[in-house]
mmCIF file of all heavy atoms in Angstrom:
data_model
loop_
_atom_site.group_PDB
_atom_site.id
_atom_site.type_symbol
_atom_site.label_atom_id
_atom_site.label_comp_id
_atom_site.label_asym_id
_atom_site.label_seq_id
_atom_site.Cartn_x
_atom_site.Cartn_y
_atom_site.Cartn_z
ATOM 1 N N ARG Q 71 -23.083 26.195 18.371
ATOM 2 C CA ARG Q 71 -22.887 24.743 18.485
ATOM 3 C C ARG Q 71 -21.405 24.421 18.599
ATOM 4 O O ARG Q 71 -20.991 23.622 19.445
ATOM 5 C CB ARG Q 71 -23.510 24.037 17.278
ATOM 6 C CG ARG Q 71 -23.243 22.530 17.246
ATOM 7 C CD ARG Q 71 -23.988 21.854 16.116
ATOM 8 N NE ARG Q 71 -23.592 22.331 14.792
ATOM 9 C CZ ARG Q 71 -22.507 21.907 14.135
ATOM 10 N NH1 ARG Q 71 -21.696 21.005 14.689
ATOM 11 N NH2 ARG Q 71 -22.234 22.375 12.929
ATOM 12 N N TRP Q 72 -20.595 25.043 17.756
ATOM 13 C CA TRP Q 72 -19.145 24.832 17.832
ATOM 14 C C TRP Q 72 -18.605 25.302 19.181
ATOM 15 O O TRP Q 72 -17.733 24.654 19.766
ATOM 16 C CB TRP Q 72 -18.447 25.594 16.716
ATOM 17 C CG TRP Q 72 -18.642 25.032 15.346
ATOM 18 C CD1 TRP Q 72 -18.921 23.741 15.007
ATOM 19 C CD2 TRP Q 72 -18.540 25.760 14.110
ATOM 20 N NE1 TRP Q 72 -19.006 23.611 13.640
ATOM 21 C CE2 TRP Q 72 -18.769 24.828 13.061
ATOM 22 C CE3 TRP Q 72 -18.276 27.081 13.786
ATOM 23 C CZ2 TRP Q 72 -18.745 25.199 11.714
ATOM 24 C CZ3 TRP Q 72 -18.247 27.449 12.444
ATOM 25 C CH2 TRP Q 72 -18.479 26.511 11.427
ATOM 26 N N ALA Q 73 -19.120 26.427 19.653
ATOM 27 C CA ALA Q 73 -18.624 27.000 20.913
ATOM 28 C C ALA Q 73 -18.953 26.097 22.099
ATOM 29 O O ALA Q 73 -18.137 25.966 23.022
ATOM 30 C CB ALA Q 73 -19.204 28.397 21.121
ATOM 31 N N ARG Q 74 -20.137 25.482 22.095
ATOM 32 C CA ARG Q 74 -20.496 24.570 23.188
ATOM 33 C C ARG Q 74 -19.536 23.384 23.249
ATOM 34 O O ARG Q 74 -19.088 22.979 24.321
ATOM 35 C CB ARG Q 74 -21.938 24.081 23.031
ATOM 36 C CG ARG Q 74 -22.988 25.130 23.360
ATOM 37 C CD ARG Q 74 -24.359 24.516 23.485
ATOM 38 N NE ARG Q 74 -24.826 23.925 22.238
ATOM 39 C CZ ARG Q 74 -25.495 24.590 21.295
ATOM 40 N NH1 ARG Q 74 -25.757 25.878 21.462
ATOM 41 N NH2 ARG Q 74 -25.912 23.981 20.195
ATOM 42 N N HIS Q 75 -19.244 22.815 22.076
ATOM 43 C CA HIS Q 75 -18.317 21.682 22.036
ATOM 44 C C HIS Q 75 -16.927 22.108 22.511
ATOM 45 O O HIS Q 75 -16.264 21.388 23.282
ATOM 46 C CB HIS Q 75 -18.243 21.110 20.621
ATOM 47 C CG HIS Q 75 -17.326 19.927 20.486
ATOM 48 N ND1 HIS Q 75 -17.658 18.675 20.972
ATOM 49 C CD2 HIS Q 75 -16.091 19.805 19.947
ATOM 50 C CE1 HIS Q 75 -16.665 17.838 20.720
ATOM 51 N NE2 HIS Q 75 -15.699 18.501 20.108
ATOM 52 N N THR Q 76 -16.483 23.274 22.070
ATOM 53 C CA THR Q 76 -15.166 23.781 22.460
ATOM 54 C C THR Q 76 -15.107 24.034 23.961
ATOM 55 O O THR Q 76 -14.096 23.736 24.620
ATOM 56 C CB THR Q 76 -14.845 25.069 21.679
ATOM 57 O OG1 THR Q 76 -14.931 24.795 20.274
ATOM 58 C CG2 THR Q 76 -13.463 25.587 22.011
ATOM 59 N N TYR Q 77 -16.172 24.564 24.532
ATOM 60 C CA TYR Q 77 -16.257 24.819 25.971
ATOM 61 C C TYR Q 77 -16.034 23.515 26.742
ATOM 62 O O TYR Q 77 -15.272 23.464 27.715
ATOM 63 C CB TYR Q 77 -17.626 25.413 26.285
ATOM 64 C CG TYR Q 77 -17.849 25.872 27.707
ATOM 65 C CD1 TYR Q 77 -17.590 27.190 28.079
ATOM 66 C CD2 TYR Q 77 -18.353 24.997 28.668
ATOM 67 C CE1 TYR Q 77 -17.829 27.620 29.381
ATOM 68 C CE2 TYR Q 77 -18.585 25.421 29.968
ATOM 69 C CZ TYR Q 77 -18.324 26.734 30.319
ATOM 70 O OH TYR Q 77 -18.560 27.160 31.611
ATOM 71 N N ASP Q 78 -16.686 22.442 26.292
ATOM 72 C CA ASP Q 78 -16.537 21.146 26.958
ATOM 73 C C ASP Q 78 -15.094 20.641 26.875
ATOM 74 O O ASP Q 78 -14.552 20.112 27.847
ATOM 75 C CB ASP Q 78 -17.487 20.115 26.330
ATOM 76 C CG ASP Q 78 -18.944 20.410 26.614
ATOM 77 O OD1 ASP Q 78 -19.220 21.173 27.562
ATOM 78 O OD2 ASP Q 78 -19.807 19.882 25.880
ATOM 79 N N ILE Q 79 -14.478 20.796 25.709
ATOM 80 C CA ILE Q 79 -13.100 20.342 25.548
ATOM 81 C C ILE Q 79 -12.159 21.157 26.428
ATOM 82 O O ILE Q 79 -11.234 20.616 27.056
ATOM 83 C CB ILE Q 79 -12.659 20.432 24.070
ATOM 84 C CG1 ILE Q 79 -13.511 19.510 23.200
ATOM 85 C CG2 ILE Q 79 -11.175 20.086 23.929
ATOM 86 C CD1 ILE Q 79 -13.395 18.044 23.534
ATOM 87 N N PHE Q 80 -12.386 22.463 26.512
ATOM 88 C CA PHE Q 80 -11.520 23.292 27.343
ATOM 89 C C PHE Q 80 -11.670 22.955 28.830
ATOM 90 O O PHE Q 80 -10.702 23.078 29.603
ATOM 91 C CB PHE Q 80 -11.788 24.775 27.097
ATOM 92 C CG PHE Q 80 -11.041 25.328 25.911
ATOM 93 C CD1 PHE Q 80 -11.660 26.184 25.012
ATOM 94 C CD2 PHE Q 80 -9.713 24.998 25.693
ATOM 95 C CE1 PHE Q 80 -10.976 26.695 23.920
ATOM 96 C CE2 PHE Q 80 -9.014 25.501 24.604
ATOM 97 C CZ PHE Q 80 -9.646 26.353 23.713
ATOM 98 N N GLN Q 81 -12.859 22.538 29.253
ATOM 99 C CA GLN Q 81 -13.008 22.090 30.636
ATOM 100 C C GLN Q 81 -12.112 20.893 30.909
ATOM 101 O O GLN Q 81 -11.473 20.799 31.963
ATOM 102 C CB GLN Q 81 -14.472 21.747 30.928
ATOM 103 C CG GLN Q 81 -15.372 22.957 31.109
ATOM 104 C CD GLN Q 81 -16.748 22.573 31.613
ATOM 105 O OE1 GLN Q 81 -17.435 21.744 31.041
ATOM 106 N NE2 GLN Q 81 -17.153 23.188 32.705
ATOM 107 N N LYS Q 82 -12.055 19.987 29.945
ATOM 108 C CA LYS Q 82 -11.205 18.800 30.082
ATOM 109 C C LYS Q 82 -9.725 19.186 30.072
ATOM 110 O O LYS Q 82 -8.934 18.688 30.887
ATOM 111 C CB LYS Q 82 -11.528 17.833 28.940
ATOM 112 C CG LYS Q 82 -10.771 16.519 28.961
ATOM 113 C CD LYS Q 82 -11.226 15.637 27.813
ATOM 114 C CE LYS Q 82 -10.412 14.359 27.719
ATOM 115 N NZ LYS Q 82 -10.657 13.467 28.864
ATOM 116 N N ILE Q 83 -9.353 20.075 29.166
ATOM 117 C CA ILE Q 83 -7.954 20.509 29.087
ATOM 118 C C ILE Q 83 -7.528 21.210 30.373
ATOM 119 O O ILE Q 83 -6.447 20.956 30.914
ATOM 120 C CB ILE Q 83 -7.746 21.425 27.866
ATOM 121 C CG1 ILE Q 83 -7.909 20.625 26.563
ATOM 122 C CG2 ILE Q 83 -6.366 22.093 27.909
ATOM 123 C CD1 ILE Q 83 -7.891 21.478 25.306
ATOM 124 N N ALA Q 84 -8.379 22.113 30.884
ATOM 125 C CA ALA Q 84 -8.038 22.854 32.096
ATOM 126 C C ALA Q 84 -7.839 21.913 33.285
ATOM 127 O O ALA Q 84 -6.968 22.148 34.130
ATOM 128 C CB ALA Q 84 -9.128 23.882 32.399
ATOM 129 N N ALA Q 85 -8.640 20.845 33.329
ATOM 130 C CA ALA Q 85 -8.563 19.911 34.446
ATOM 131 C C ALA Q 85 -7.372 18.963 34.331
ATOM 132 O O ALA Q 85 -6.756 18.601 35.341
ATOM 133 C CB ALA Q 85 -9.852 19.099 34.540
ATOM 134 N N GLU Q 86 -7.034 18.557 33.106
ATOM 135 C CA GLU Q 86 -6.051 17.490 32.915
ATOM 136 C C GLU Q 86 -4.695 17.963 32.419
ATOM 137 O O GLU Q 86 -3.709 17.224 32.524
ATOM 138 C CB GLU Q 86 -6.610 16.458 31.928
ATOM 139 C CG GLU Q 86 -7.900 15.794 32.415
ATOM 140 C CD GLU Q 86 -8.463 14.819 31.399
ATOM 141 O OE1 GLU Q 86 -7.843 14.634 30.331
ATOM 142 O OE2 GLU Q 86 -9.540 14.237 31.670
ATOM 143 N N GLU Q 87 -4.612 19.181 31.869
ATOM 144 C CA GLU Q 87 -3.354 19.654 31.289
ATOM 145 C C GLU Q 87 -3.047 21.062 31.805
ATOM 146 O O GLU Q 87 -3.197 22.045 31.078
ATOM 147 C CB GLU Q 87 -3.458 19.649 29.755
ATOM 148 C CG GLU Q 87 -3.813 18.284 29.165
ATOM 149 C CD GLU Q 87 -4.073 18.344 27.674
ATOM 150 O OE1 GLU Q 87 -3.176 18.782 26.927
ATOM 151 O OE2 GLU Q 87 -5.180 17.947 27.251
ATOM 152 N N PRO Q 88 -2.612 21.177 33.053
ATOM 153 C CA PRO Q 88 -2.408 22.508 33.652
ATOM 154 C C PRO Q 88 -1.371 23.362 32.943
ATOM 155 O O PRO Q 88 -1.409 24.596 33.056
ATOM 156 C CB PRO Q 88 -1.976 22.182 35.092
ATOM 157 C CG PRO Q 88 -1.513 20.763 35.051
ATOM 158 C CD PRO Q 88 -2.333 20.091 34.008
ATOM 159 N N ALA Q 89 -0.461 22.744 32.202
ATOM 160 C CA ALA Q 89 0.565 23.523 31.495
ATOM 161 C C ALA Q 89 0.061 24.087 30.173
ATOM 162 O O ALA Q 89 0.811 24.786 29.481
ATOM 163 C CB ALA Q 89 1.797 22.656 31.242
ATOM 164 N N ALA Q 90 -1.189 23.797 29.810
ATOM 165 C CA ALA Q 90 -1.713 24.230 28.512
ATOM 166 C C ALA Q 90 -2.024 25.717 28.461
ATOM 167 O O ALA Q 90 -2.168 26.291 27.375
ATOM 168 C CB ALA Q 90 -2.962 23.434 28.157
ATOM 169 N N GLY Q 91 -2.169 26.357 29.618
ATOM 170 C CA GLY Q 91 -2.476 27.790 29.615
ATOM 171 C C GLY Q 91 -3.958 28.090 29.495
ATOM 172 O O GLY Q 91 -4.332 29.143 28.972
ATOM 173 N N VAL Q 92 -4.812 27.172 29.981
ATOM 174 C CA VAL Q 92 -6.269 27.370 29.965
ATOM 175 C C VAL Q 92 -6.763 27.370 31.405
ATOM 176 O O VAL Q 92 -6.443 26.458 32.174
ATOM 177 C CB VAL Q 92 -6.989 26.255 29.185
ATOM 178 C CG1 VAL Q 92 -8.499 26.476 29.201
ATOM 179 C CG2 VAL Q 92 -6.460 26.188 27.753
ATOM 180 N N GLU Q 93 -7.528 28.371 31.779
ATOM 181 C CA GLU Q 93 -8.034 28.467 33.150
ATOM 182 C C GLU Q 93 -9.472 28.975 33.130
ATOM 183 O O GLU Q 93 -9.803 29.920 32.405
ATOM 184 C CB GLU Q 93 -7.158 29.407 33.973
ATOM 185 C CG GLU Q 93 -7.564 29.524 35.433
ATOM 186 C CD GLU Q 93 -6.658 30.462 36.218
ATOM 187 O OE1 GLU Q 93 -5.534 30.754 35.738
ATOM 188 O OE2 GLU Q 93 -7.072 30.913 37.297
ATOM 189 N N PHE Q 94 -10.318 28.345 33.946
ATOM 190 C CA PHE Q 94 -11.700 28.802 34.091
ATOM 191 C C PHE Q 94 -11.801 29.764 35.264
ATOM 192 O O PHE Q 94 -11.139 29.597 36.294
ATOM 193 C CB PHE Q 94 -12.638 27.612 34.300
ATOM 194 C CG PHE Q 94 -13.081 26.976 33.014
ATOM 195 C CD1 PHE Q 94 -12.210 26.169 32.296
ATOM 196 C CD2 PHE Q 94 -14.350 27.205 32.507
ATOM 197 C CE1 PHE Q 94 -12.599 25.594 31.100
ATOM 198 C CE2 PHE Q 94 -14.750 26.625 31.313
ATOM 199 C CZ PHE Q 94 -13.880 25.819 30.606
ATOM 200 N N MET Q 95 -12.625 30.783 35.071
ATOM 201 C CA MET Q 95 -12.837 31.799 36.098
ATOM 202 C C MET Q 95 -14.180 32.473 35.851
ATOM 203 O O MET Q 95 -14.867 32.171 34.873
ATOM 204 C CB MET Q 95 -11.709 32.837 36.055
ATOM 205 C CG MET Q 95 -11.636 33.629 34.760
ATOM 206 S SD MET Q 95 -10.178 34.713 34.674
ATOM 207 C CE MET Q 95 -8.862 33.506 34.549
ATOM 208 N N GLU Q 96 -14.542 33.378 36.723
ATOM 209 C CA GLU Q 96 -15.802 34.088 36.550
ATOM 210 C C GLU Q 96 -15.717 35.051 35.367
ATOM 211 O O GLU Q 96 -14.740 35.791 35.223
ATOM 212 C CB GLU Q 96 -16.142 34.871 37.816
ATOM 213 C CG GLU Q 96 -17.510 35.534 37.758
ATOM 214 C CD GLU Q 96 -17.883 36.217 39.049
ATOM 215 O OE1 GLU Q 96 -17.060 36.994 39.563
ATOM 216 O OE2 GLU Q 96 -18.997 35.979 39.545
#
Side-chain angles (χ1 to χ4, degrees):
R71 175 174 62 81
W72 288 334
R74 286 193 297 272
H75 181 74
T76 304
Y77 186 92
D78 292 341
I79 297 297
F80 276 137
Q81 284 189 306
K82 182 178 175 68
I83 292 173
E86 299 178 1
E87 303 173 58
V92 179
E93 183 180 342
F94 275 75
M95 63 186 69
E96 185 176 50

